[in-house]
Amino acid sequence: WGALFRVLDPLVGGTIETMLKTGGPPVCQVYETPYVALFHILMSPRRVVNRWFSGMAGWPTNKEEFDAFHERVKAEVPPDRLIEWNMKKHGWEDLCSFLEMENCPKSGRLPRAVNAFLFLQDFPYASIGAILVNTVIHFLNYKIITGVFRVAKRLLTRSKPDTKLE
């Protein structure tokens, strides 16, 4: 269903493409329409699955595992491709410098979001609309899958013609 955004986005003004190409504003902070909210809801699980299949399936369960993971990253990533970010020290200029951008479009500290789920409070109508559409999509998926299984069952249990010779 997420592939439909590729087709629909140009028809509704290219909102998603613009957000992704320009790097902002963060999708979860600007639920202007149910369309953007639905995109976020549908794409979030994809990010999680990509993390699992990229070798980062588990979370560190203790400080030793956490430190070992970061030491492994430091050992494997070339120093010029690694930044150790500190939200209290670094800002837009540091990020632009690391990304080798000559003209940094912003300056100062990066904004801080208090809660990752503020979009539910800030954009209640868009969130409710996206949840309703997502519910319909789940229902359609259920109907499609059960229909496929019914057809497969009928094909597999179809009685075969009697081919006995008398």
Side-chain angles (χ1 to χ4, degrees):
W1 294 106
L4 288 177
F5 283 99
R6 186 77 84 181
V7 175
L8 293 176
D9 197 46
L11 301 174
V12 295
T15 307
I16 302 297
E17 183 178 2
T18 302
M19 292 171 80
L20 295 175
K21 283 186 175 179
T22 61
V27 173
C28 64
Q29 293 180 6
V30 283
Y31 271 24
E32 296 170 357
T33 63
Y35 172 72
V36 174
L38 182 63
F39 173 79
H40 182 240
I41 289 170
L42 287 175
M43 294 301 127
S44 293
R46 181 177 178 189
R47 290 192 328 241
V48 172
V49 171
N50 283 343
R51 177 182 168 85
W52 291 343
F53 289 106
S54 67
M56 300 181 69
W59 294 96
T61 58
N62 55 45
K63 184 171 178 9
E64 291 77 26
E65 287 180 13
F66 180 84
D67 291 339
F69 169 76
H70 286 282
E71 290 305 318
R72 192 179 89 221
V73 169
K74 289 177 190 176
E76 293 180 14
V77 176
D80 61 323
R81 301 290 301 150
L82 181 68
I83 186 171
E84 293 192 43
W85 190 266
N86 182 335
M87 288 298 287
K88 294 180 181 179
K89 284 193 326 188
H90 297 103
W92 286 105
E93 295 85 357
D94 301 308
L95 181 59
C96 290
S97 172
F98 175 73
L99 296 173
E100 300 174 355
M101 294 174 61
E102 292 185 23
N103 298 324
C104 192
K106 298 185 179 184
S107 63
R109 296 177 68 175
L110 275 70
R112 180 175 179 262
V114 179
N115 181 343
F117 290 98
L118 282 179
F119 55 87
L120 294 173
Q121 290 177 342
D122 294 344
F123 308 100
Y125 297 118
S127 298
I128 290 169
I131 289 168
L132 292 174
V133 171
N134 207 18
T135 303
V136 170
I137 288 172
H138 282 295
F139 177 75
L140 291 174
N141 286 341
Y142 168 77
K143 287 298 197 179
I144 290 168
I145 290 171
T146 55
V148 167
F149 282 123
R150 280 189 189 125
V151 169
K153 181 181 176 185
R154 283 187 191 136
L155 291 173
L156 294 173
T157 59
R158 181 180 290 174
S159 60
K160 297 177 183 173
D162 197 11
T163 56
K164 292 181 187 176
L165 294 174
E166 293 181 21

